[in-house]
């Protein structure tokens, strides 16, 4: 019992429910391992008693927690403080506000007890001085009640940037293509946003993990997305350097043609090998005075974070991409050995810093293009749930991550084995002690050039499933985060950026989380196939359907991390399809996502055929085809009864239009169109549960026949324009 109490004191749940009414308790070994990752020794009864005593002593003397939160216009949430305690707040802009605790409330002179309710938004320094001589300091986060709401009602595209190739691409989609897509779709189609996959920096290869959800760093974008010719220094290349750049561009054109004309896969490593050589040439071009001044400003704004990131990149060139295998002295970013080698690597550090600047400039240009085209939101960036254990972020911020732990999902009705995503979690105690500085800086960087931010597995703001290294996911534990603090920081940074926030809240969501997110204005994610009422056995209008898909509303695992959130057999046959007016208003509504079959694949059975070929079906192919067919018939019936599918119009393209008309009938604030759906692509970008068996994250957008479509062809596609005319009726 004492070990369980120690776990609870540190936010570790000692049991969980894999299914309603079934409770499983953690083993002592799991509790000991998770506590150890938080710096608590619980290996023996004596160690547990000592840890409890130390906690009680610290808690008894502490006046303030490390971080205190407040909502604008309301006093901070303070613990009970001794009468006469003097409080002082040093605001971000240097102002000093004092108060004294009398009758259990903070007073300033003759003002009312809510003396600290008028604090400005920001992260301030709070100090408490008690009459008994105790002193404490805390970070005080004053945040708005809500994140900004998206302006009006908008529709837009969802796209994996690498898959969007134009005739100017170097073998994969880039930021020039993104700006072009935004400018064209905003002006021609009236779209309000473009939602992207994470553009985070990858762990370098070869081979590089193509998944955008296992990055080296979430703090900086990957320069592989650069449009080389749009870097200003490109125009100043002359002589041999110009000829070399032209040669590289020609080789990149061959890569592009291999993908577009010969059915090749997107080869990120080959693209980067060419771009890197071109960037070496560009970084040798002297910067003009104005460009130099802009670069220096960028370095000043990014500060230590960029220096650390660029240093990691430079060291990875010399010692490999896993910092845990580097010479001992270099594993610590603040060691004397690292400081010495930084001086010897200044040229390489400057190179990687320059690449971050180039990428930041092109991201800014893409957002400007979107807004200039009339988009109300513009770019919607994606925040992955975690980072690679050997990457730049874990090297630079080691104190913030739990060593020897990986996040994942517990076993449940959807996956009896649980999931391990191989991504180390943030330590909630370290975040609180730092005033959530790592989290604040991460959000600020992502929101620099965004009209909105999607947060992958948004439930992680409240709790995450920690799996001890070397153990199966079944031997993990839920660890609690301060949801109010995480949401307050999110609201503060989103308000400063003027950006909306979308939470990916698919899967098993603990009670109260969706309500807490909605209270702060965070939109949810609603996917057509999974918007059902699972509390009744009745079917919509007398019809029911089985879920033949690969993901959905019931699986705590994120398919982004190669998990498998397939619905359990028979679940959807007992669930009523929600009518459009039963959907929530506060959501991004879509028909499908990057982890699910494209709509055309569902309608034609191509998704079942693909999973059958790869041995991924839960049962015999005949049964899976029957379930998928039953679900499709249920949806066709529902669409017809709602007057969305003309009688006899059952062809694939007509149904794709009909399901998007269905979304238009919902009250959703944002409606997303999966760009491959607009041209009839039948291949998923990611097939959960596969690794080398399927080319995840390496496919270009293609038509029904699998022939890749360039951006230019997309812009001219009659099928795309016919679909988007349906959404042009959206009242924004």
């Amino acid at each position: 019992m004492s070990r369980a109490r120690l776990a609870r004191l540190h936010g570790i749940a000692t049991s969980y429910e894999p299914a309603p009414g079934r409770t499983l308790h953690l083993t002592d070994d799991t509790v000991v391992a998770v506590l150890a990752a938080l710096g608590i020794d619980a290996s023996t009864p004596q160690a547990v008693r000592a840890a409890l005593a130390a906690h009680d002593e610290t808690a008894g003397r502490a006046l303030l927690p490390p971080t205190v939160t407040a909502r604008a216009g309301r006093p901070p949430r303070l613990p009970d403080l001794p009468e006469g305690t003097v409080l002082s707040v040093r605001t971000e802009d240097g102002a000093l506000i004092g108060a004294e605790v009398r009758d259990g409330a903070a007073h300033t002179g003759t003002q009312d007890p809510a003396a600290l309710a008028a604090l400005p938004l920001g992260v301030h320094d709070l100090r408490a001085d008690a009459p008994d001589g105790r002193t404490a300091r805390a970070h005080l986060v004053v945040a708005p009640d809500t994140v900004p709401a998206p302006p009006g009602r908008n529709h837009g595209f969802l796209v994996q940037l690498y898959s969007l190739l134009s005739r100017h691409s170097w073998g994969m989609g880039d930021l020039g293509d993104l700006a072009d897509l935004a400018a064209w779709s905003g002006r021609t189609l009236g779209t309000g946003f473009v939602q992207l996959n994470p553009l985070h920096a990858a762990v370098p290869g070869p081979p590089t993990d193509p998944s955008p959800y296992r990055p080296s760093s979430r703090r900086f974008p990957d320069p592989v997305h650069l449009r080389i010719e749009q870097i200003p220094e490109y125009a100043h290349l002359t002589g041999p350097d110009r000829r070399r750049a032209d040669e590289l561009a020609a080789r990149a054109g061959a890569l592009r043609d291999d993908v577009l004309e010969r059915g090749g896969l997107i080869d990120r490593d080959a693209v980067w090998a060419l771009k890197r050589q071109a960037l070496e040439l560009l970084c040798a071009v002297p910067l003009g005075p104005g460009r130099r001044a802009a670069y220096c400003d960028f370095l000043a704004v990014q500060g230590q974070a960029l220096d650390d990131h660029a240093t990691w990149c430079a060291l990875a060139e010399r010692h490999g991409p896993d910092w845990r295998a580097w010479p001992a002295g270099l594993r610590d970013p603040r060691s004397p050995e690292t400081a010495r080698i930084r001086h010897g690597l200044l040229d390489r550090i400057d190179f990687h810093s320059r690449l971050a600047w180039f990428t930041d400039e092109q991201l800014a240009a893409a957002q400007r293009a979107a807004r200039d085209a009339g988009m109300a939101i513009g770019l919607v960036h994606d925040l992955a749930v975690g980072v690679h254990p050997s990457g730049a972020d874990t090297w630079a911020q080691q104190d913030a991550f739990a060593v020897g732990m990986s996040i994942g999902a517990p076993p449940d009705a959807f996956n009896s084995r649980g999931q391990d995503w191989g991504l180390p979690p943030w330590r909630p105690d370290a975040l609180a002690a730092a005033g959530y500085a790592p989290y604040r800086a991460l959000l600020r960087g992502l929101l620099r050039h965004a009209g909105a931010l999607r947060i992958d597995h948004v439930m992680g703001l409240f709790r995450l499933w920690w799996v001890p290294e070397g153990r199966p996911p079944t031997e993990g534990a839920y660890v609690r985060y301060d949801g109010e603090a995480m949401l307050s920081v999110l609201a503060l940074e989103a308000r400063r950026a003027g950006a909306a926030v979308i939470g990916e809240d698919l899967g098993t969501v603990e009670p109260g989380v969706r309500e807490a997110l909605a209270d702060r204005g965070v939109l949810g994610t609603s996917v057509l196939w999974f918007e059902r009422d699972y509390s009744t056995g009745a079917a919509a209008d007398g019809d029911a359907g089985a879920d033949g898909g690969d993901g959905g509303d019931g699986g705590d695992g994120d398919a982004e991390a190669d998990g498998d959130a397939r619905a359990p057999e028979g679940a959807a046959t007992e669930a009523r399809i929600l009518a459009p007016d039963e959907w929530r208003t506060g959501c991004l509504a879509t028909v499908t996502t990057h982890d699910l079959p494209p709509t055309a694949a569902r309608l034609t059975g191509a998704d079942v055929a693909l999973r059958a070929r790869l041995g991924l079906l839960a049962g015999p192919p005949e049964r899976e085809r029957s379930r998928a067919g039953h679900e499709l018939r249920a949806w066709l019936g529902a669409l017809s009864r709602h007057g969305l599918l003309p009688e006899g119009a059952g062809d694939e393209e007509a149904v794709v239009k009909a399901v998007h008309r269905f979304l238009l009938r919902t009250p959703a604030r944002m409606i997303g169109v999966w760009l491959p759906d607009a041209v009839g692509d039948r291949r998923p970008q990611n097939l959960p549960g596969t690794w080398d068996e399927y080319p995840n994250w390496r496919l270009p957008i293609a038509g029904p026949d699998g022939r890749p479509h360039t951006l230019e062809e997309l812009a001219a596609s009659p099928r795309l324009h016919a679909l988007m005319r349906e959404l042009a009726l959206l009242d924004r």
Side-chain angles (χ1 to χ4, degrees):
M1 289 299 293
S2 56
R3 184 174 281 143
R5 175 174 174 256
L6 185 62
R8 288 192 296 272
L9 288 172
H10 291 277
I12 303 168
T14 56
S15 63
Y16 68 98
E17 291 188 5
R22 182 177 175 225
T23 300
L24 293 181
H25 296 273
L26 270 59
T27 65
D28 281 348
D29 286 347
T30 295
V31 173
V32 169
V34 176
L35 280 168
L38 293 170
I40 308 298
D41 182 7
S43 58
T44 65
Q46 295 86 348
V48 171
R49 287 193 293 270
L52 286 170
H55 180 276
D56 292 344
E57 180 182 0
T58 300
R61 290 194 54 79
L63 288 173
L64 298 171
T67 295
V68 174
T69 61
R71 297 201 188 189
R74 283 173 257 180
R77 299 190 307 161
L78 295 172
D80 292 334
L81 295 170
E83 189 78 3
T85 297
V86 175
L87 299 172
S88 60
V89 177
R90 178 73 68 179
T91 66
E92 282 185 343
D93 61 8
L96 185 63
I97 300 172
E100 183 178 338
V101 176
R102 299 200 305 272
D103 301 322
H107 294 255
T108 301
T110 59
Q111 296 181 24
D112 63 52
L116 299 181
L119 289 169
L121 299 180
V123 181
H124 314 306
D125 182 66
L126 172 65
R127 176 176 173 135
D129 292 284
D132 61 6
R134 287 182 295 158
T135 297
R137 296 183 68 175
H139 305 275
L140 173 57
V141 179
V142 181
D145 276 339
T146 63
V147 304
R153 199 171 178 228
N154 290 268
H155 70 287
F157 285 124
L158 316 179
V159 62
Q160 302 282 293
L161 180 56
Y162 60 83
S163 70
L164 181 71
L165 282 75
S166 73
R167 285 295 172 187
H168 302 287
S169 305
W170 280 34
M172 62 183 284
D174 60 37
L175 294 172
D177 297 321
L178 173 60
D180 220 12
L181 172 69
W184 162 71
S185 65
R187 285 186 167 87
T188 305
L189 306 175
T191 54
F193 64 90
V194 175
Q195 180 178 300
L196 302 157
N197 56 288
L199 302 183
H200 309 320
V203 177
T208 299
D209 186 342
S211 171
Y213 291 93
R214 282 175 57 82
S216 169
S217 173
R218 297 184 294 177
R219 299 191 293 172
F220 295 96
D222 199 307
V224 75
H225 301 113
L226 284 167
R227 170 66 65 83
I228 297 297
E229 294 89 344
Q230 290 180 357
I231 297 170
E233 283 64 44
Y234 187 85
H236 300 295
L237 291 174
T238 59
D241 288 346
R242 165 62 76 173
R243 290 192 292 274
R244 177 61 176 156
D246 290 344
E247 177 192 341
L248 293 169
R251 291 168 59 189
L255 283 178
R256 179 189 61 236
D257 293 344
D258 183 62
V259 174
L260 295 176
E261 299 173 7
R262 291 181 285 279
L265 298 176
I266 292 169
D267 188 338
R268 180 193 181 102
D269 288 329
V271 171
W272 176 236
L274 297 176
K275 286 191 176 183
R276 180 175 181 137
Q277 294 177 66
L279 289 165
E280 297 280 2
L281 297 174
L282 296 180
C283 287
V285 176
L287 296 175
R291 292 281 288 164
R292 171 61 62 182
Y295 180 42
C296 290
D297 282 351
F298 178 76
L299 293 176
V301 168
Q302 299 300 324
Q304 186 69 56
L306 178 56
D307 190 52
D308 285 343
H309 177 72
T311 300
W312 182 90
C313 293
L315 288 170
E317 291 176 335
R318 180 174 293 188
H319 298 289
D322 186 351
W323 63 266
R324 298 167 300 180
W326 291 354
L330 301 181
R331 296 173 201 164
D332 179 359
R334 307 291 170 248
S335 72
E337 292 87 346
T338 301
R340 282 194 296 271
I341 203 168
R342 280 182 198 255
H343 289 289
L345 292 173
L346 286 179
D347 286 347
R348 300 311 298 165
I349 292 171
D350 181 69
F351 172 74
H352 292 288
S353 298
R354 193 93 60 102
L355 302 195
W357 176 48
F358 292 158
T359 312
D360 184 80
E361 287 188 314
Q362 292 195 2
L363 281 170
Q367 176 65 352
R368 280 196 305 273
R371 300 306 291 268
D372 289 347
M375 286 191 173
I377 296 171
L379 304 185
V380 181
H381 288 297
D382 195 352
L383 172 60
V385 68
V387 292
H388 198 283
S390 69
D393 282 1
T394 55
W395 177 73
Q397 299 178 314
Q398 292 175 44
D399 292 344
F401 290 94
V403 177
M405 292 288 137
S406 172
I407 57 178
D412 56 22
F414 306 89
N415 190 324
S416 62
R417 296 167 296 176
Q419 299 175 51
D420 182 346
W421 304 334
L423 309 170
W426 265 335
R427 286 179 54 161
D429 57 334
L431 289 178
Y436 293 85
Y439 177 48
R440 285 188 279 127
L442 173 59
L443 293 173
R444 196 172 305 127
L446 286 165
L447 292 167
R448 273 173 65 84
H449 309 301
L453 177 67
R454 175 192 182 269
I455 299 180
D456 184 39
H457 191 74
V458 73
M459 296 82 78
L461 300 183
F462 299 85
R463 68 176 185 178
L464 283 171
W465 184 255
W466 288 21
V467 181
E469 185 177 342
R471 300 189 183 186
T474 53
E475 297 182 21
Y478 273 122
V479 177
R480 177 71 53 185
Y481 293 76
D482 185 338
E484 176 66 20
M486 298 289 278
L487 286 175
S488 291
V489 170
L490 177 62
L492 175 62
E493 295 300 335
R495 178 63 59 88
R496 285 172 161 169
V501 179
I502 304 155
E504 188 270 295
D505 58 349
L506 304 174
T508 300
V509 185
E510 64 177 319
V513 165
R514 286 197 174 106
E515 293 76 9
L517 293 169
D519 178 61
R520 301 309 286 263
V522 177
L523 302 182
T525 300
S526 294
V527 178
L528 179 89
W529 312 105
F530 311 119
E531 287 298 303
R532 296 172 177 265
D533 180 1
Y534 293 92
S535 65
T536 71
D541 302 318
D543 283 306
D547 180 4
D550 293 297
D553 198 13
D556 204 6
D558 278 288
E560 289 89 343
D562 294 326
D564 186 357
R566 188 176 305 140
E569 181 180 351
T573 60
E574 303 300 325
R576 180 178 64 87
I577 295 173
L578 294 181
D581 60 4
E582 294 181 273
W583 285 43
R584 52 184 169 170
T585 300
C587 73
L588 165 66
T590 72
V591 177
T592 191
T593 74
H594 58 267
D595 285 318
L596 299 174
T599 305
R602 282 185 182 271
L603 300 179
T604 61
D607 62 319
V608 176
L610 174 62
R611 289 188 288 119
R613 178 166 58 83
L614 297 177
L616 298 175
L617 295 178
E622 296 77 14
R623 187 175 70 185
E624 293 298 313
R625 281 193 290 268
S626 175
R627 291 179 60 209
H630 188 60
E631 180 192 31
L632 178 58
R633 288 190 295 274
W635 270 104
L636 292 176
L639 293 170
S640 295
R641 280 185 294 278
H642 285 291
L644 300 172
L645 188 64
E647 186 174 350
D651 64 279
E652 172 193 321
E653 190 172 350
V655 178
V656 171
K657 290 180 183 177
V659 293
H660 285 90
R661 291 189 197 108
F662 187 98
L663 295 186
L664 288 177
R665 293 273 187 95
T666 74
R669 293 295 300 272
M670 297 174 66
I671 294 177
V673 178
W674 177 234
L675 185 53
D677 267 0
V679 291
D681 199 344
R682 299 182 182 182
R683 306 174 304 173
Q685 285 293 311
N686 177 47
L687 186 59
T690 63
W691 187 249
D692 291 331
E693 308 96 317
Y694 185 79
N696 296 315
W697 319 112
R698 287 174 287 173
L699 292 172
I701 296 173
D705 58 359
R707 185 185 68 80
H709 281 24
T710 64
L711 175 56
E712 294 85 355
E713 290 172 312
L714 290 169
S717 167
R719 179 167 180 159
L720 181 148
H721 281 273
L723 174 61
M724 298 310 289
R725 278 195 293 272
E726 303 287 338
L727 285 108
L729 303 174
L730 179 62
D731 181 19
R732 293 194 286 140

